[in-house]
Amino acid sequence: MAFTYYLAAFATVGMLFGSSALMSAHAQSKPTIVFVANGASDFWKAAQAGVKKAQSELPDYKLELQYPDQATVASQNALMDNLVSAGVKGIIVSAVDPKNSTGEFDKLAGQTALFTTDSDAPQTKRIAYIGSSNILAGEQAAEIAKKAMPKGGKCMGFVGLLGADNARERIQGFKQGLAGTGITLVDVRGDDIDQARAKSNVSDTLVADPNVTCLVGFYSYNTPQIYAALKEGGELGKITVVGFDGDPVTLGGVKEGSIAGTVVQQPYEWAYQGMKMIAAYLKGDKSSIPANGLDIIQTKIVDSSNVDAYVAEQKAMQ
C-alpha cells in the first residue's frame, strides 16, 4: 500500500512538473514581434500604448517596443540583428537612414517578417509600410505657415535625422506647399536626436539670422525645444512656430497662441494596427497587406480651433 501510494504521488508530481514545464515552454514558444523605434523620445509613448492594446488582443504573441542605444544606423541594425538571433518572428521599424540600410534590411527580411513605420525603406524587401504620408504631412505644415504668415517670411527648419525618409519627405512636402507664396524655407538643421543640440540649433539661428520669422520643428521634440529657446530669448510669440506631433509642450503652445499649429500623426495606430497586421501575416493571412505596400494612416492639423478636442481624444485613448 505504501509503495503504491508513493508511486502514485511520484506520478502526480511528475505530471504536475511536466505540465509546468509544458506551460513554460508554451510561454517561451510564443512568437515575438518587436516595434523598433529610431531613438529614445517621448513621441514613442503613444506607440507603446498601441503595443499594449494589441497585446491584449493577441495573447498568443509576445509584443514589445525597443529603442536602439543610439539614433544611428549601426546601433539600430545591431539591435535588429540581436532580435533576429533571439528568434523574433516579426519586426516593424522606423528606419534611421534607409538609404544606408538597404543591405541590412534585405538580410533581415530573409530572416524575419520585416515591416516599416514612420520612416519607410521602400527600396528594400520590407513587406509593407504602416504610417503617415510624410509628404502630405509636410504640405499640411505649409498650410499652417501660410495661414499664419499671409505676407510671407523666412523659415528655418529643425529635424533629428536629415537622412531619414520621414525628414526628407516632410521637408519636400513643406516646400511644395509653399510654392508660389512669399514664404521660403531657407535651411534645415539636424541634431541626430540630441535634444540639447536641438535647442542650441534654435538659439544659434536666432543670433545668426534675425531675418528669420518662422521656425519649423519637423520631429516631435523639435517644437518643444523651439519653444524653450524662444522663451529663454524673450522671443516667444514674436516668431511664427509650426510644429509636428502632439507633445504636451507643443499643444500647450498651440492653446496659448505662441505656436501657430502642429501636424499630428498617429503612432498609437501605427503600433496597434502594425502588430495585428504582422500577427496575421505570420499566420499566413496576407489580406491586410495593401497591394502597393503602403498602409497610410492620416495626419491632421491641430490649431487653436480644435486643440482642446484633440487633447481630450488622446486622453481617452490612454
Side-chain angles (χ1 to χ4, degrees):
M1 289 289 291
F3 175 78
T4 303
Y5 173 81
Y6 286 118
L7 183 61
F10 178 79
T12 300
V13 170
M15 289 174 64
L16 289 172
F17 178 82
S19 175
S20 176
L22 285 171
M23 289 173 65
S24 176
H26 174 70
Q28 292 177 359
S29 68
K30 287 184 178 182
T32 299
I33 304 170
V34 180
F35 188 115
V36 176
N38 57 9
S41 170
D42 286 347
F43 173 74
W44 295 115
K45 288 181 179 179
Q48 182 69 70
V51 170
K52 183 178 179 181
K53 174 64 175 176
Q55 181 69 84
S56 71
E57 299 179 15
L58 298 169
D60 293 335
Y61 290 83
K62 181 182 178 183
L63 310 181
E64 300 177 356
L65 184 147
Q66 293 195 28
Y67 303 91
D69 292 335
Q70 297 177 313
T72 63
V73 172
S75 184
Q76 187 177 65
N77 288 348
L79 170 59
M80 292 191 291
D81 283 340
N82 290 338
L83 291 173
V84 169
S85 296
V88 165
K89 300 301 182 183
I91 291 174
I92 180 167
V93 56
S94 173
V96 168
D97 187 350
K99 286 190 173 181
N100 290 314
S101 302
T102 301
E104 176 70 14
F105 275 34
D106 285 346
K107 181 190 76 174
L108 291 167
Q111 301 170 314
T112 191
L114 183 66
F115 290 68
T116 54
T117 187
D118 183 41
S119 179
D120 196 11
Q123 74 278 13
T124 70
K125 295 178 181 179
R126 62 96 170 109
I127 296 162
Y129 167 79
I130 306 163
S132 304
S133 166
N134 286 296
I135 292 177
L136 175 58
E139 291 176 349
Q140 289 176 317
E143 290 301 316
I144 297 171
K146 287 188 290 186
K147 184 177 179 181
M149 306 168 65
K151 296 182 180 180
K154 294 173 63 177
C155 295
M156 178 67 78
F158 304 91
V159 74
L161 302 166
L162 284 165
D165 273 16
N166 59 357
R168 293 188 302 99
E169 290 175 359
R170 289 174 197 177
I171 295 164
Q172 176 187 338
F174 189 69
K175 289 180 176 179
Q176 289 175 185
L178 296 179
T181 73
I183 305 172
T184 58
L185 181 66
V186 295
D187 199 4
V188 181
R189 298 185 176 179
D191 54 61
D192 295 323
I193 311 188
D194 180 335
Q195 297 199 32
R197 184 175 160 196
K199 183 180 176 183
S200 66
N201 280 348
V202 179
S203 300
D204 292 347
T205 296
L206 296 176
V207 173
D209 194 345
N211 293 317
V212 168
T213 56
C214 164
L215 304 176
V216 186
F218 286 105
Y219 272 14
S220 62
Y221 62 85
N222 284 120
T223 312
Q225 295 304 330
I226 290 171
Y227 183 95
L230 289 176
K231 189 172 183 179
E232 281 189 10
E235 298 293 324
L236 196 61
K238 300 177 183 179
I239 295 178
T240 297
V241 179
V242 178
F244 263 83
D245 299 309
D247 186 278
V249 173
T250 300
L251 296 174
V254 171
K255 186 175 177 64
E256 71 183 21
S258 57
I259 295 175
T262 187
V263 179
V264 294
Q265 304 182 92
Q266 300 189 65
Y268 177 96
E269 293 296 335
W270 303 346
Y272 173 63
Q273 295 185 33
M275 290 293 178
K276 296 186 72 173
M277 183 184 288
I278 297 173
Y281 180 87
L282 292 174
K283 290 180 178 179
D285 180 3
K286 301 179 182 179
S287 61
S288 62
I289 307 296
N292 65 355
L294 300 173
D295 185 3
I296 301 301
I297 297 174
Q298 294 300 316
T299 54
K300 66 179 181 180
I301 293 172
V302 172
D303 56 23
S304 59
S305 69
N306 62 350
V307 63
D308 289 336
Y310 176 76
V311 170
E313 176 187 295
Q314 294 305 299
K315 286 183 178 178
M317 292 172 62
Q318 295 176 1

